[in-house]
């Protein structure tokens, strides 16, 4: 679901900003949940994104709770979760060489 925020710059004109993904930031990576682009991905997805969008590891479904608990432990912990759930990988996901 999209979230909407309003900002008001010095001009005084309010501007609405729409954000379709919720994001949890990690150190050198982030986790992005998307329930908006179902036509592209086939449904709700959660992506583990490495670096500056250098790699996208996408799982079908909502994995925010699991990833949120793992983000403080770092990218490797999140990648281990992705590998443990590789059967849920989206058709647009990159596949790591070390996937189990």
């Amino acid at each position: 679901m999209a979230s909407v925020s309003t900002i008001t710059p010095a001009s005084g004109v309010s501007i609405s900003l729409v954000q379709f993904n919720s994001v949890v930031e990690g150190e050198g990576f982030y986790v992005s949940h998307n329930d908006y682009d179902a036509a592209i991905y086939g449904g709700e997805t959660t992506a583990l994104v490495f670096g500056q969008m250098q790699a996208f590891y996408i799982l079908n479904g909502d994995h925010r709770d699991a990833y949120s608990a793992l983000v403080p432990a770092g990218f490797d912990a999140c990648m281990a979760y992705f590998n443990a759930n590789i059967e849920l990988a989206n058709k647009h996901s990159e596949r790591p060489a070390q996937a189990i």
Side-chain angles (χ1 to χ4, degrees):
M1 175 185 297
S3 63
V4 179
S5 300
T6 303
I7 62 169
T8 306
S11 68
V13 177
S14 295
I15 302 169
S16 295
L17 301 174
V18 179
Q19 180 176 351
F20 295 105
N21 295 15
S22 64
V23 175
V24 177
E25 296 282 341
E27 195 167 321
F29 70 99
Y30 61 93
V31 174
S32 174
H33 173 259
N34 183 339
D35 62 355
Y36 182 77
D37 293 320
I40 296 169
Y41 295 100
E44 182 175 23
T45 58
T46 309
L48 173 60
V49 183
F50 179 74
Q52 297 297 312
M53 297 188 286
Q54 292 152 308
F56 288 80
Y57 303 103
I58 306 167
L59 292 176
N60 294 323
D62 183 354
H63 298 268
R64 288 178 289 184
D65 289 344
Y67 275 128
S68 291
L70 294 169
V71 164
F75 179 80
D76 290 341
C78 291
M79 194 70 206
Y81 178 83
F82 176 86
N83 286 332
N85 291 280
I86 195 76
E87 73 279 359
L88 299 175
N90 186 272
K91 63 183 177 183
H92 296 291
S93 179
E94 296 187 50
R95 310 280 187 200
Q98 71 274 18
I100 300 170

